[in-house]
Amino acid sequence: MYQYNDFDEAFVRARVAQFRGQVERRIDGSLTEDEFKPLRLMNGLYLQLHAYMLRVAVPYGTLNSAQMRQLAYIADRWDKGYGHFTTRQNIQYNWPKLQDVPDMLDALADVGMHAIQTSGNTIRNVTADHFAGAASDEIEDPRPIAELLRQWSTDHPEFQFLPRKFKIAVTGAEQDRAVTRAHDIGLRMVRNAAGEPGFEVIVGGGLGRTPMVGKILRDFLPKADLLPYVEAIVSVYNLLGRRDNKYKARIKITVHENGLEKIQHLVEDRFTAIRAGFSGHDQALLAQIETAFAPPAFVTKSTDGYEAARLANPAFRSWTDTNLAEHKAEGYAIVSISIKKHGSTPGDATSDQMRVMADLAETYGHNELRISHEQNVILPHVHKSDLPAAYQALRAADLAAANIGLASDIIACPGMDYCALATARSIPIAQEIATRFDELKIEHDIGQLKIKISGCINACGHHHVGHIGILGLDRAGVENYQITLGGDGTETTTIGERAGPGFSADEIVPAIERLVTGYMDLRADENETFLQAYRRLGMEPFKAILYPAEDKANAA
Amino acid sequence: MARSFTPKVVTANALLEGDAVWLTEDNRWTRDIREAELITDEAHGDLRLLEAMAQADLIAGAYLADARSGPDGPEPTHFREAFRTRGPSNYFHGKQAE
Ligand code: HEM
Ligand code: SF4
């Protein structure tokens, strides 16, 4: 894992010291809120409905055990003993007090973490495939590139006042687990005809009020050209992006209004102009970073105990069926720890749970943890022979839900339980849906299903790319939930289609139940997923299930 | 005819804790909306908001929120403002726990 060097350490400490002074001046009244707000946002501090919220970056979703323990310590010492992991691989604390935030930032700096550029119109935390460095379908670990981008973008003088926020995601694998097509820039590692690794560069994806699937700007960019090319894109956007209207300021609109060809032209020109200036420093740095991401020393041992435990314990078998993914090393597995126990808040982990996960990573997982954009925690490298013991420890900490990828593995944004921008709540809807499917005991029969919920049009809960998306709105002073169907956030990214009129808070869970049980009747066989069935059949049969009365009226 | 004015309260977030507070008639910030001043006149509301915003060392983000008169004092009319009087629904945290 990358360790801060002296420069990083000094930079982060200096920022904390600056912010400490700013907080003091805000508290003694010498700074107004209008003056202070941009300063606090630069350091990840929001003001929400009931309290401040501190958003801490987990760069490319990677943590070591000491960092996870420190997150737990911060939760206990200055918050309410838990944290919320988000779709952007960040962690949010919902209850900090203003005067404590500088101490929290210092505690983060102690373990090489920060909250810089987790807000504002800057380049945000660079996200990556949460299986990076472990996935069997990977060309290369994308995290060295993500770390290079983090260093380059942090405090980059040209890019501190972009027209709007800017989000970059990277994957080195064939399967897109990083939602690259819904980011301002998505980088997918591919090979050219000569077999050399490089990137497919995707630009102008995004969700929010105008969801768009990213477009391919370059089919193949040699790895060595990455930094100047990305700089060229952001630089073109910085000048061309609209600053007159916040809703038209994201690069997706810039691409849409100017056309891909014009953007391509401008980016290539800019790239040609700045490329020479990079003169190899970035490549030397990258080579150095790459050594920090060398794979752990994998061991070879028997997996007989694992197979025996699977046969002996049905609960363990069920968990291994849903929560494991294929590892590139012989005998290893990637473990997804569900922090979506039925009825709990998606993405929340208590400090005790964080410590258990840190211990497990240390004992069985080469000291590594990941945060997934689906709001779960990953142990990327666990030998199969250690899985029975790891599972027992997870059970004891209430972390053994066997539901990864199933109906109750719901993404939900904080919604109106916390967020000041929300138009409705999302967490209780997620809790009720998960609880209901657990009661029905059908989620394993249903199979792969992605339900995603946002509490307003900003779409932080990725509802546009949920197989079933739920958007909470305020309709004449009452919470109302709109359903979209057929969304997909993988390499075949699709924006879901609106099914029809929204449902009240009381009607939404029965509507989802109707939809899902209805799908089980419609599917060709047990292997056809909800998304496949939707793609085969189209909206109509699902609409008929959601709005049965109207269906009859139309037929009459 | 003048547009009818919906009664309002002045509300904000406390500077240090960040939680919801409401302005009382005697210029205190209370954590109980029922103690807030219910404003029924638009011009008076604008004035009170300006006075509230001047208290930058105590609060942040003051605004006027719709309210109505209830048996024990002002009550929120919109669900967002009702949540601010209680706290989140997923945990027993915030005002409901105080
Ligand atoms: C204080 C809480 C939050 C605020 C104020 C906030 C604000 C916003 C806004 C205004 C947008 C729309 C941007 C645009 O379309 O230009 C947005 C998008 C987004 N936010 Fe948040 N957000 C919050 C919490 C979260 C959380 C908790 C997550 C992760 C779970 C998140 C992840 C995202 C994502 C993935 C998008 C959509 C992708 C995109 O187009 O950027 N946000 N957020
Ligand atoms: S989608 Fe809306 S409600 Fe949910 S976190 Fe984002 S801004 Fe808040």
Side-chain angles (χ1 to χ4, degrees):
Chain A
M1 241 183 90
Y2 180 76
Q3 300 284 339
Y4 275 13
N5 60 22
D6 294 347
F7 176 86
D8 298 319
E9 164 78 15
F11 171 76
V12 169
R13 294 286 177 195
R15 277 292 289 264
V16 176
Q18 280 169 10
F19 190 57
R20 192 177 290 281
Q22 290 158 356
V23 167
E24 278 164 15
R25 290 199 294 287
R26 175 69 186 98
I27 291 175
D28 74 17
S30 24
L31 288 176
T32 64
E33 185 60 19
D34 285 349
E35 289 162 338
F36 180 62
K37 190 175 173 182
L39 301 172
R40 68 166 158 79
L41 289 177
M42 279 167 73
N43 292 287
L45 187 64
Y46 285 76
L47 188 49
Q48 303 206 100
L49 285 183
H50 312 295
Y52 287 93
M53 179 272 279
L54 181 66
R55 182 184 287 164
V56 176
V58 179
Y60 33 89
T62 295
L63 287 171
N64 61 29
S65 299
Q67 291 173 324
M68 186 63 119
R69 283 196 194 102
Q70 190 77 341
L71 294 179
Y73 168 77
I74 290 170
D76 283 337
R77 170 92 197 265
W78 294 291
D79 207 87
K80 292 191 188 289
Y82 76 100
H84 178 70
F85 291 106
T86 80
T87 49
R88 297 219 72 259
Q89 300 180 317
N90 294 311
I91 180 170
Q92 299 189 169
Y93 292 107
N94 284 319
W95 303 95
K97 293 200 171 40
L98 180 58
Q99 67 272 32
D100 293 338
V101 175
D103 290 341
M104 296 169 83
L105 295 177
D106 254 331
L108 288 168
D110 288 344
V111 292
M113 294 182 76
H114 63 69
I116 297 167
Q117 287 177 214
T118 58
S119 176
N121 296 332
T122 53
I123 299 173
R124 303 289 189 89
N125 187 28
V126 176
T127 53
D129 181 357
H130 44 269
F131 291 170
S136 60
D137 64 340
E138 186 171 84
I139 296 176
E140 269 180 31
D141 187 339
R143 292 174 303 158
I145 289 292
E147 173 59 26
L148 183 69
L149 288 167
R150 186 188 73 82
Q151 296 193 13
W152 158 85
S153 65
T154 302
D155 225 27
H156 192 303
E158 189 181 340
F159 304 139
Q160 293 304 298
F161 294 95
L162 293 170
R164 198 78 180 87
K165 57 170 87 165
F166 203 90
K167 301 179 179 177
I168 304 178
V170 205
T171 176
E174 207 151 303
Q175 246 189 310
D176 185 355
R177 286 172 290 258
V179 209
T180 56
R181 284 185 177 267
H183 282 77
D184 297 278
I185 295 180
L187 300 167
R188 272 189 61 211
M189 202 171 264
V190 289
R191 286 187 196 281
N192 65 6
E196 296 151 348
F199 289 96
E200 176 184 86
V201 181
I202 299 158
V203 73
L207 304 173
R209 72 178 55 221
T210 323
M212 288 194 188
V213 177
K215 299 170 184 69
I216 298 175
L217 193 63
R218 251 287 194 128
D219 291 324
F220 183 83
L221 180 74
K223 225 176 108 185
D225 288 338
L226 186 87
L227 214 46
Y229 195 79
V230 169
E231 180 154 315
I233 298 173
V234 187
S235 182
V236 165
Y237 163 65
N238 198 19
L239 292 181
L240 200 60
R242 286 178 59 172
R243 291 172 191 263
D244 61 318
N245 181 341
K246 163 174 163 174
Y247 301 124
K248 306 219 157 150
R250 294 289 291 270
I251 195 174
K252 62 189 171 190
I253 308 289
T254 319
V255 173
H256 183 72
E257 288 184 348
N258 290 277
L260 187 65
E261 268 176 43
K262 179 173 170 190
I263 302 286
Q264 247 159 358
H265 221 78
L266 291 168
V267 169
E268 293 297 335
D269 284 354
R270 178 79 188 150
F271 173 59
T272 312
I274 64 176
R275 186 186 189 180
F278 279 73
S279 72
H281 288 311
D282 56 322
Q283 291 311 297
L285 184 58
L286 180 62
Q288 207 182 318
I289 293 170
E290 275 171 347
T291 61
F293 289 93
F298 296 121
V299 296
T300 313
K301 41 186 181 177
S302 160
T303 56
D304 292 350
Y306 164 69
E307 300 299 345
R310 262 176 61 86
L311 288 175
N313 180 349
F316 176 64
R317 185 164 62 240
S318 163
W319 178 80
T320 60
D321 284 342
T322 48
N323 293 38
L324 299 186
E326 206 177 319
H327 199 285
K328 65 181 179 190
E330 175 81 34
Y332 276 76
I334 303 171
V335 176
S336 292
I337 302 172
S338 166
I339 43 176
K340 313 272 184 73
K341 186 189 169 195
H342 304 89
S344 64
T345 302
D348 279 10
T350 65
S351 54
D352 285 339
Q353 290 177 326
M354 291 181 211
R355 277 183 287 264
V356 168
M357 294 188 282
D359 290 348
L360 284 174
E362 201 167 65
T363 316
Y364 305 116
H366 295 276
N367 210 21
E368 263 202 56
L369 298 129
R370 307 285 173 77
I371 309 307
S372 78
H373 82 268
E374 301 195 303
Q375 300 180 290
N376 290 309
V377 178
I378 315 291
L379 298 174
H381 315 292
V382 183
H383 195 274
K384 285 182 180 164
S385 62
D386 293 325
L387 287 171
Y391 175 73
Q392 288 312 324
L394 289 171
R395 264 182 82 107
D398 224 6
L399 285 169
N403 62 351
I404 296 294
L406 303 183
S408 59
D409 187 5
I410 299 171
I411 292 186
C413 78
M416 208 186 271
D417 286 304
Y418 298 92
C419 177
L421 303 179
T423 43
R425 286 174 297 179
S426 30
I427 293 169
I429 305 301
Q431 292 174 306
E432 285 169 38
I433 292 173
T435 305
R436 183 63 189 145
F437 282 116
D438 194 37
E439 283 165 5
L440 294 171
K441 297 280 169 241
I442 55 172
E443 63 175 342
H444 289 270
D445 288 340
I446 299 164
Q448 291 295 310
L449 178 61
K450 295 198 187 292
I451 302 177
K452 304 186 196 250
I453 312 177
S454 304
C456 82
I457 192 76
N458 287 327
C460 304
H462 284 190
H463 68 275
H464 296 297
V465 293
H467 302 171
I468 299 175
I470 302 174
L471 166 61
L473 295 169
D474 173 348
R475 284 281 177 262
V478 183
E479 287 169 297
N480 188 273
Y481 295 90
Q482 220 170 61
I483 294 179
T484 49
L485 297 176
D488 171 9
T490 68
E491 56 282 4
T492 43
T493 295
T494 313
I495 305 296
E497 282 174 273
R498 229 186 98 182
F503 295 87
S504 70
D506 291 338
E507 294 165 348
I508 184 69
V509 181
I512 298 297
E513 178 179 336
R514 222 163 43 241
L515 188 62
V516 174
T517 51
Y519 139 76
M520 292 169 83
D521 295 334
L522 289 171
R523 65 185 170 187
D525 60 53
E526 281 178 17
N527 295 319
E528 190 180 49
T529 64
F530 182 91
L531 186 61
Q532 288 164 341
Y534 178 82
R535 286 185 171 157
R536 178 171 60 84
L537 296 164
M539 177 65 87
E540 285 317 311
F542 293 93
K543 217 167 164 163
I545 296 167
L546 276 175
Y547 307 98
E550 275 171 45
D551 192 47
K552 272 180 219 125
N554 289 344
Chain B
M1 214 182 84
R3 186 163 46 90
S4 73
F5 179 73
T6 332
K8 303 266 190 297
V9 286
V10 175
T11 183
N13 291 77
L15 177 63
L16 296 182
E17 296 82 1
D19 63 332
V21 288
W22 292 268
L23 186 65
T24 65
E25 216 174 317
D26 57 351
N27 281 323
R28 285 177 302 111
W29 288 98
T30 173
R31 293 191 147 79
D32 184 348
I33 188 177
R34 291 170 299 187
E35 293 177 6
E37 174 185 9
L38 188 68
I39 299 163
T40 52
D41 174 80
E42 189 163 5
H44 182 61
D46 291 344
L47 180 70
R48 293 297 281 155
L49 179 60
L50 284 176
E51 287 170 355
M53 290 196 308
Q55 304 195 27
D57 54 338
L58 294 176
I59 52 103
Y63 61 96
L64 289 163
D66 285 344
R68 65 172 160 244
S69 170
D72 302 313
E75 293 174 349
T77 56
H78 190 276
F79 60 91
R80 181 184 195 270
E81 293 304 314
F83 294 153
R84 290 179 75 242
T85 69
R86 292 200 295 268
S89 46
N90 60 330
Y91 299 117
F92 191 64
H93 287 161
K95 293 211 157 30
Q96 59 198 337
E98 276 158 18

